[in-house]
């Protein structure tokens, strides 16, 4: 949590919105960069991840990701470009490519005094945090669009003692 707070503090412009989406949805880099405002339903608090002729998700399926209170406020306040439909866009009004995102991300890591890690690790942070908060493995699998449950199981190392937790409230 401390590192996430440090990283948020080091993010400028569109990178803050990018980080908020990444850490609160578990979306892949390519999925975030393809998001348009048409994919965001703030009233219903959902992000629609679409697989179509313009963009194909890794699992080739459409899915909806709930928007929590923090991300709701970030997206509500995020500026919209007059011509660019993307949620994440540069000063020139175009969606950044993956190379630029990585460069800005690494700059923010240095500014925050954090060790080097990959953008994809934000996705792992999302999954690990869900598991640590006691979210069931099937829900994590659906949110992260894992085809194989074995992929999701690697996040359970962060889960509390689930057997003790499961029987605690039995009467």
């Amino acid at each position: 949590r401390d590192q996430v707070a440090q990283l948020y503090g080091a993010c400028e412009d569109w990178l803050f919105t990018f980080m908020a989406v990444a850490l609160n949805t578990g979306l892949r880099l390519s999925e975030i960069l393809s998001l348009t405002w048409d994919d965001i339903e703030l009233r219903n608090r959902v992000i629609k991840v679409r697989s179509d002729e313009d963009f194909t998700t890794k699992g080739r399926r459409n899915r909806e990701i709930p928007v929590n209170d923090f991300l709701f406020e970030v997206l509500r306040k995020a500026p919209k470009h007059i011509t660019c439909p993307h949620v994440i866009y540069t000063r020139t009004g175009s969606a950044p490519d993956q190379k630029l995102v990585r460069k800005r991300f690494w700059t923010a890591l240095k500014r925050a005094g954090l060790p080097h890690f990959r953008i994809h690790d934000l996705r792992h942070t999302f999954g690990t945090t869900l598991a640590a908060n006691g979210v069931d493995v099937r829900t994590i699998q659906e949110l992260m669009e894992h085809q194989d449950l074995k992929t999701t199981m690697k996040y359970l190392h962060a889960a509390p003692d689930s057997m003790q937790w499961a029987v605690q409230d039995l009467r």
Side-chain angles (χ1 to χ4, degrees), residues 106-170:
W106 292 331
T107 300
L109 284 174
K110 286 180 191 174
R111 191 177 304 125
L114 296 173
H116 180 80
F117 58 92
R118 304 166 303 147
I119 288 175
H120 195 74
D121 292 329
L122 301 174
R123 181 169 160 81
H124 294 302
T125 299
F126 173 78
T128 302
T129 303
L130 290 175
N133 289 341
V135 175
D136 67 278
V137 69
R138 296 296 278 171
T139 300
I140 297 171
Q141 179 186 20
E142 286 295 315
L143 288 169
M144 297 187 75
E145 194 191 21
H146 291 150
Q147 300 299 309
D148 189 341
L149 192 58
K150 289 179 190 174
T151 305
T152 311
M153 296 296 284
K154 67 183 173 187
Y155 296 103
L156 297 186
H157 72 277
D161 185 354
S162 57
M163 292 194 344
Q164 178 64 36
W165 179 74
V167 299
Q168 188 61 37
D169 289 331
L170 292 177

Side-chain angles (χ1 to χ4, degrees), residues 7 11-12 14-19 22 27-34 88-90 94-109 116-120 122:
L7 190 51
C11 292
E12 297 175 347
W14 54 265
L15 189 62
F16 184 89
T17 304
F18 174 87
M19 292 293 302
L27 294 180
R28 295 173 180 91
L29 172 59
S30 60
E31 293 171 336
I32 296 171
L33 295 181
S34 73
I88 308 298
Y89 62 88
T90 65
S94 60
D97 62 17
Q98 291 188 14
K99 185 177 179 180
L100 177 60
V101 175
R102 284 186 183 94
K103 182 179 177 184
R104 294 285 303 271
F105 177 72
W106 292 331
T107 300
L109 284 174
H116 180 80
F117 58 92
R118 304 166 303 147
I119 288 175
H120 195 74
L122 301 174

Side-chain angles (χ1 to χ4, degrees), residues 1-8 125 129 132-133:
R1 290 181 192 268
D2 292 340
Q3 288 182 333
V4 167
Q6 285 176 259
L7 190 51
Y8 274 131
T125 299
T129 303
N133 289 341

